[in-house]
């Protein structure tokens, strides 16, 4: 059993923990990063599967994500744009497939008007929300007491408009059904990306990718830390008190002045605390849960949809894969589609055999792109729900009423214990940008003490 001493010990080598560790090390503090897995990056993971390079976790960078963009630049990484020429596809409530350009789905004119009005209303509400303090909004409690589904139902009886607007936040972002999170939580999601309109604009939100994959960010951050990163070290116990902490992992013990818990909130309860955490933390951590989405990768000999004048961008709240995109790699002659199957749909297909699930998902993609979509040369499903050290995707959100009740306490340190992850971010919430922001903030807090 290795026994070491550091100023700060970081639990978790995701983007957040590695950012915090780098900031602290730059300022002259000694650090150790303990990672449960045998790799760094957490929810960022690039793998070669059957010869195809796939980004199994996070991958896209949007122009508002300046903390991530600064990090990408600092690490000397290159980015490239997602393919976006041609028409998008929408499948409506009537089951009809329609091609379109721009952002607003090709729905009946009266539904389009309702959608435009709802987007405007949501933009106005989002403009009143500080993503770092959504609980400060004068109506925070009321907005947190009503599910997004009920709020939309109060606004309009146009079901297709409601289902489309819900899609941008529910299936596409929080990856929970819209009855399972509050309107305040939905507004935070939009505010964290700058506006609701940004979420509607796929060209904005899914703008760029990193050459070599976004996992290059944590890999290079870890390289800067060298021997201070310890892999295969799941932390089991944190002993804490006024004099500091002792962190016990499977193969080592670290004594330090401070500990940064850089893990998703659902995994905080996997660690034993001696003494136990205070009742407030015991309570609030139970009210944050992971969403769930399957990220589906289908690689073809060529990007055949481009020959049909399609960009690859496709949406439908009525399809198993509610959204899909051209995800071809930089300078790769093969064509890759990425589709997403979220919440209850994901549960349902995981009850099927692997063959049946694949057939159902590819059939859904074929509704957007044609029969060629059913014959990929490589097929892979990223299943983060089965990952012991993640347990869902993309990230965590509060149940109804939780954000206004506990949001303000979430990032407050408990003695020498600090929390850092994308799930507790304001700007960049649920994204790598948020992970980096919180990592920087926590490091600054520790340095200021
Ligand atoms: P994590 O990456 O989860 O890091 C936590 C680390 O802690 C992990 O390495 C874990 O193994 C480790 N750990 C946990 N418990 C312990 C323990 N007890 N002891 C030691 N180590 C432990 N974001 C974007 O910006 N753009 C996208 O396109 C995007 N798409 C996504 C697609 C998918 C499928 C997923 C899953 C996520 C996506 N995200 C995206 C979200 C983004 O990947 C995450 O928000 C971000 O990577 C989280 O970083 P983090 O450091 O906060 O947490």
């Amino acid at each position: 059993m290795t026994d070491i001493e550091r100023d700060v010990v970081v639990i978790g080598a995701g983007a957040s923990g590695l950012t915090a560790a780098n900031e602290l090390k730059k300022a002259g503090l000694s650090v150790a990063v303990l990672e449960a897995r045998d790799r760094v990056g957490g929810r960022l993971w690039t793998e070669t599967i059957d010869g195809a390079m796939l980004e199994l976790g996070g991958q896209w960078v949007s122009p508002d994500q300046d903390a991530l963009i600064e990090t990408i630049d600092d690490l000397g990484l290159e980015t490239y744009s997602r393919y976006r020429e041609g028409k998008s596809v929408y499948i409506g409530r009537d089951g009809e497939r329609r091609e379109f350009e721009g952002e607003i789905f090709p729905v009946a004119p009266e539904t389009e008007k309702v959608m435009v009005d709802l987007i405007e209303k949501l933009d106005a509400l989002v403009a009143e929300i500080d993503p770092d303090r959504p609980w400060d909004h004068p109506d925070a409690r009321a907005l947190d007491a009503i599910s997004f589904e009920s709020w939309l139902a109060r606004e309009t009886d146009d079901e297709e408009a409601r289902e489309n607007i819900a899609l941008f936040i529910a299936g596409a972002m929080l990856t929970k059904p819209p009855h399972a999170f509050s309107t305040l939580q939905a507004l935070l999601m939009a505010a964290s990306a700058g506006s609701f309109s940004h979420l509607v604009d796929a060209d904005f939100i899914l703008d760029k990718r990193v050459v070599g994959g976004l996992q290059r960010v944590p890999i290079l951050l870890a390289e800067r830390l060298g021997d201070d990163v310890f892999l295969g070290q799941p932390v089991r116990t944190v002993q804490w008190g006024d004099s500091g902490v002792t962190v016990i992992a499977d193969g080592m013990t670290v004594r330090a002045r401070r500990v940064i818990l850089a893990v998703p909130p659902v995994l905080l309860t996997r660690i034993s605390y001696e003494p136990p955490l205070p009742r407030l933390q015991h309570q609030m951590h139970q009210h944050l849960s992971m969403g769930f989405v399957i990220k589906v990768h289908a690689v073809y000999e060529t990007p055949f949809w481009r020959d049909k004048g399609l960009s690859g961008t496709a949406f439908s709240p009525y399809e198993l894969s509610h959204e899909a995109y051209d995800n071809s790699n930089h300078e790769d002659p093969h064509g890759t589609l990425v589709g997403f199957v979220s919440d209850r749909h994901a549960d349902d297909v995981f009850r099927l055999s692997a063959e049946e699930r694949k057939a159902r998902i590819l059939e859904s993609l074929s509704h957007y792109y044609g029969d060629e979509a059913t014959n990929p040369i490589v097929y892979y499903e990223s299943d983060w729900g089965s990952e012991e050290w993640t347990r869902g995707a993309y990230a965590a959100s509060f149940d109804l009423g939780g954000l206004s009740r506990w949001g303000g306490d979430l990032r407050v340190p408990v003695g020498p214990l600090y929390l850092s992850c994308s799930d507790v971010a304001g700007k960049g919430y649920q994204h790598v940008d948020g992970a980096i922001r919180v990592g920087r903030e926590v490091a600054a807090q520790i340095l200021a003490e």
Side-chain angles (χ1 to χ4, degrees), residues 56-77:
L56 306 186
Q59 60 168 72
W60 282 297
V61 184
S62 61
D64 59 319
Q65 296 179 332
D66 38 20
L68 173 57
I69 292 169
E70 269 169 35
T71 305
I72 287 170
D73 290 346
D74 177 46
L75 294 170
L77 292 166

Side-chain angles (χ1 to χ4, degrees), residues 11-16 34-37 41-44 56-60 233-235 262-264 267 271 295 384 389 393-394 421-422 430-432 435:
I11 305 175
S16 203
L34 270 51
E35 167 56 48
R37 290 176 161 108
R43 281 170 272 178
L44 299 177
L56 306 186
Q59 60 168 72
W60 282 297
Q233 294 295 340
V235 169
V263 305
L267 294 181
I271 300 171
K295 183 175 181 183
W384 288 86
W389 301 108
Y394 310 108
C421 55
S422 69
Q430 295 217 347
H431 287 85
V432 182

Side-chain angles (χ1 to χ4, degrees), residues 204-216:
F204 180 90
I205 212 78
L206 315 177
D207 182 29
K208 296 242 188 300
R209 292 176 63 192
V210 165
V211 176
L214 196 50
Q215 197 196 1
R216 297 291 299 149

Side-chain angles (χ1 to χ4, degrees), residues 251-292:
M252 62 192 292
T253 297
V254 188
R255 274 165 242 286
R257 287 193 290 121
R258 303 269 187 274
V259 57
I260 300 176
L261 300 151
V263 305
V266 290
L267 294 181
L268 289 170
T269 52
R270 284 292 311 273
I271 300 171
S272 298
Y273 302 87
E274 296 172 8
L277 293 179
R279 78 173 67 73
L280 181 67
Q281 281 66 28
H282 277 170
Q283 274 289 299
M284 76 177 155
H285 294 158
Q286 292 182 56
H287 291 268
L288 279 157
S289 58
M290 281 293 210
F292 186 40

